[in-house]
Each structure stands twice: as structure tokens, then as C-alpha cells.
Amino acid sequence: MATTAHTHSPRLSSRTQHFVLPKQWASMRKAEAQERATGQRVIHFEKGDFQGDEFRPAPHIAEACAKAVADGHVRYVPGPGLPELRDAIAEEMTKRGRPTAREEVLVTMGAKHALTQSLLTLVDQGDEVIFPNPGYPPDEFWITYAGGRVTYAPLEEPDFHFDLDALGGLIGPRTKLLIINTPQRPNGMVVGQLDEIAAICAERDVMVLSDEIFSHMVYPPAEHRTIAAVEGMADRSIVVDTFSKTYIMTGFRIGWCVANKDLITTMDIFQQNSVTNVPAFVQLAALAALTGPQEHVIETTARLQRKRDRVVEALNALPGVDCPTTDGSFYVFPDIRGTGMNAQQFTDHLMERYGVGVVAGTAFGDRGEGHVRLTYAAPDDVLEEGLDRIRRAVEEL
């Protein structure tokens, strides 16, 4: 007897109604599909990662990781992190001007998990979170999941600074948190006005979540500052950072956050009931990174600055393109409105006709319209080929 196949659709939680694949990775998904379908080599300027053999962790980091595995550091360890690593992170944060103790440090599965835990620990149903526009999409994802409401703070070009008057006007009785990231994603600019922002938040009893993953990837004369070092902000802020960018450890998945010790204790409970702990051998690699020689970090930053300068120069030579010189990160965020295309049209044009992946600025909010994000942490030959393809794409217009 023939049987009838039935499909069963699980009844998903209502909290998943906003679930979509990450907007900032849409170009990457399209690029990979195009490569598979056509066999054409795509230049991947859309990925927020390092490319090529010149970008690898320092040898002493890889050696520490391998030794840790060989020595048997493959068991569960304390949820908030190895004491010696927490102490090293506390020292790093103290150098930034926020005196920090071990109990104020949580070692996390990358910066993204630190952001997730922070938001799910703090945000209640109906709470408002002020979010920079343009900003980093995963933060919006978890605010919405927690039942919070995103309030967008427009960033002002060309430096993408907060409009302080507008920021003050956005804060209401349900505002719990302000998110900043510096240097910013997607535009690479350092956030200024930290003293003024801190004063607004202190006066209105608002916490600050400060995403500082590019803290060591800042190019002179720009300098990195943390709002946590402003007087009165140590207990009013959560600082999130990572080993991914500074030490080229994106695949290790290890980050950290610093906050008031009571908040860290609560977040540790969250962590122990979710991922348990960051693997010990990864933590020991991170310890070697933070406490070992730092010449590799200096050399990497100098190399990236040279690449930034080359990319900015090349893009500014194109008709209809205006590319500011960024303060840090490994991104540029050129204004392409002079080409007559919007962000998505320009992104599609580069991908479909010239095999270059970039990210439409609208993936980061409506204030990203007219821009694209381009990653330049790639080998010089790849950069040159990609820039040449972009030149031909713009000339075609």
C-alpha cells in the first residue's frame, strides 16, 4: 500500500520571527554561490577577515596552543576563564585607564558571544537600546530577541560622529543602554566626544556597551580611547574586545568583556549554562598572545596602514567615488553616490560583472545608503587586482 509522505513544521518560538541570515554576510553568500556556479574567481573584499599567508598569528601563539593540547589542557576549566588570563586582561584594561580586577573580567567565545551575553543579561521586554546607524547588525538581532526596542542614533558624516543633541533627545524613560563601537564598524572611524557621551549617559542613568574589537588597529595620528576610562563610567560600562583582530586569531573564537563584578558574575552564570567555558588550549594561546612579544601586532598594524593608504588613494582616483581616510579597523567605507548608483546596485554591479565582493552599506542601517564596505586585509596582488576590477567597473558606468 502506498504511503503518503507528510512534512512536519515545528512550532517555532515567536522570538524567532525576526530571524534572517546575517545581512552583512549577504554579499559573501552571493559571492560563494557565483564562484560555484561560474567557476569565476571572485575577489573577496566583502569578508570581515584576514586573507593570505602574510596574515597569520605570531609563531609563539600557535606554539603555545599546540603545547597546551600536547600537555593535556583539553578538559573543562573555570567558566569565567583561566585566572592567569583574566589577570592579563585586567592589566590590559587598566592600561587603557580603567583600573580592573580579575573579578571584573569574563573570557568569552569571541566578542560576538560577549555582546550576546551582555544584551541578553541586560535587556528586558520593552527596554530601549540606542544603536548607532550605521552599526553592527548582530546587536540589533539580540536586542529584538530579548524583547527590547532598537532606537537608532544617526551618525554624522564624514567622521560618523554622534549628534549629541539628537542623542540626548533619543533617551527616554525606558532607555537602558547605548551601544558604541570604536573604531566603528563599518566605517573605521574612532568615536570622539566620549566625555560628552559619558556625561549624557550618567545624567540619564544609561549604561554603555562599548565594542572595541579594533582597539589596537588604530593608525596615527588617531588614538584609541575607551569610554570606560572616563570618570564615573567604570561601573556604567561594559567593554567588549577580542583576540581575533589584534592577534589575527579570528578562528580561535576567543574574546572578553570587562564590567562591574556583579554583572560579570551574572554573565558567567549565563556562560556556564550555554557554552560552559572557552577551551583551555585556546585560552593559553590567548595568554601567550597578550603577555608575549608585541612586535607582531605593531608590524601588522603598520602593514594594514600601508594597505589602507593604497586603497584610499586608488578609490579616490575614481570618478564619482569619495573614500575618507579611516582612523582604524581594516575597512574603508567609500561614498559611491557620485556614480549614480545606490549601495545595492553598485554592490551587484561589482559582483555580477566584475567578480568583486563588497558589502552594501545598507546592511548596516539606512545611514549606510550610498556607501559600500570594503575589507583590505588581503595580499597586495589581490588588492591590486580587485582595485583594477573596481576601476574598470566604475569606468563602465
Side-chain angles (χ1 to χ4, degrees):
M1 179 182 296
T3 58
T4 302
H6 294 278
T7 58
H8 173 70
S9 296
R11 289 179 292 172
L12 301 178
S13 162
S14 61
R15 289 190 297 274
T16 67
Q17 290 179 359
H18 71 290
F19 278 24
V20 294
L21 290 170
K23 294 178 286 186
Q24 74 276 19
W25 291 348
S27 292
M28 184 168 62
R29 294 191 294 270
K30 183 172 181 177
E32 291 171 347
Q34 184 167 310
E35 283 182 311
R36 288 193 302 270
T38 67
Q40 177 194 30
R41 175 172 174 253
V42 170
I43 301 295
H44 291 284
F45 289 162
E46 83 283 8
K47 294 184 177 181
D49 201 351
F50 301 93
Q51 300 179 49
D53 289 339
E54 70 178 286
F55 291 111
R56 291 189 178 275
H60 68 274
I61 298 173
E63 290 163 7
C65 188
K67 183 178 186 301
V69 173
D71 290 347
H73 293 284
V74 293
R75 313 292 185 213
Y76 295 132
V77 291
L82 296 174
E84 57 268 42
L85 180 56
R86 296 173 78 195
D87 287 341
I89 292 168
E91 183 177 347
E92 160 72 15
M93 198 65 214
T94 299
K95 289 177 183 176
R96 297 188 196 180
R98 190 238 191 243
T100 304
R102 176 194 299 175
E103 295 75 20
E104 297 175 300
V105 176
L106 182 68
V107 180
T108 64
M109 297 286 283
K112 188 176 287 184
H113 197 230
L115 293 166
T116 300
Q117 292 182 103
S118 299
L119 292 167
L120 293 184
T121 301
L122 285 176
V123 179
D124 267 327
Q125 187 78 30
D127 283 344
E128 295 178 1
V129 179
I130 298 178
F131 178 78
N133 182 7
Y136 183 55
D139 296 340
E140 296 177 272
F141 182 96
W142 290 111
I143 295 164
T144 303
Y145 187 86
R149 188 164 72 86
V150 179
T151 301
Y152 295 98
L155 301 181
E156 299 295 316
E157 296 186 58
D159 297 326
F160 290 96
H161 283 174
F162 283 92
D163 178 329
L164 296 179
D165 291 335
L167 178 63
L170 292 174
I171 297 175
R174 292 303 304 269
T175 303
K176 181 173 279 186
L177 189 65
L178 165 67
I179 295 176
I180 63 175
N181 57 82
T182 182
Q184 293 173 341
R185 292 182 277 178
N187 57 69
M189 294 301 188
V190 167
V191 174
Q193 312 153 297
L194 292 183
D195 296 307
E196 293 87 348
I197 293 170
I200 292 170
C201 292
E203 180 184 356
R204 309 291 285 276
D205 193 25
V206 173
M207 290 274 296
V208 176
L209 177 55
S210 184
D211 177 345
E212 303 180 12
I213 70 165
F214 288 112
S215 57
H216 287 275
M217 204 174 284
V218 177
Y219 311 122
E223 295 181 345
H224 176 70
R225 287 185 66 209
T226 177
I227 198 168
V230 176
E231 184 176 356
M233 291 302 294
D235 283 342
R236 197 181 291 282
S237 58
I238 306 172
V239 174
V240 171
D241 207 329
T242 183
F243 292 87
S244 294
K245 303 303 192 290
T246 302
Y247 297 103
I248 317 181
M249 295 172 66
T250 51
F252 284 70
R253 308 312 307 134
I254 181 167
W256 50 268
C257 62
V258 164
N260 171 283
K261 69 177 184 177
D262 293 334
L263 179 54
I264 290 295
T265 297
T266 303
M267 291 174 64
D268 176 35
I269 295 170
F270 187 114
Q271 178 149 297
Q272 291 191 46
N273 283 285
S274 54
V275 299
T276 304
N277 61 265
V278 178
F281 55 87
V282 174
Q283 293 195 53
L284 289 168
L287 179 65
L290 198 53
T291 61
Q294 300 298 301
E295 287 81 6
H296 189 261
V297 176
I298 296 168
E299 291 167 2
T300 298
T301 303
R303 181 181 299 120
L304 286 168
Q305 183 173 358
R306 289 194 297 271
K307 292 177 187 290
R308 177 207 63 177
D309 293 345
R310 170 63 187 132
V311 170
V312 169
E313 176 190 38
L315 293 177
N316 279 328
L318 302 179
V321 177
D322 179 18
C323 185
T325 300
T326 53
D327 295 326
S329 79
F330 51 37
Y331 303 125
V332 289
F333 200 55
D335 184 334
I336 52 82
R337 283 173 285 199
T339 66
M341 285 187 162
N342 65 31
Q344 193 59 57
Q345 289 169 337
F346 189 83
T347 298
D348 291 342
H349 177 63
L350 288 186
M351 178 75 73
E352 294 167 5
R353 293 188 58 81
Y354 289 89
V356 178
V358 298
V359 182
T362 45
F364 308 97
D366 60 16
R367 300 284 287 201
E369 180 57 273
H371 299 77
V372 296
R373 192 195 74 180
L374 185 154
T375 306
Y376 53 81
D380 288 341
D381 61 333
V382 174
L383 276 181
E384 292 302 330
E385 181 177 352
L387 290 170
D388 184 63
R389 292 189 190 187
I390 294 171
R391 176 187 60 77
R392 288 186 282 123
V394 172
E395 287 177 351
E396 180 187 332
L397 298 176

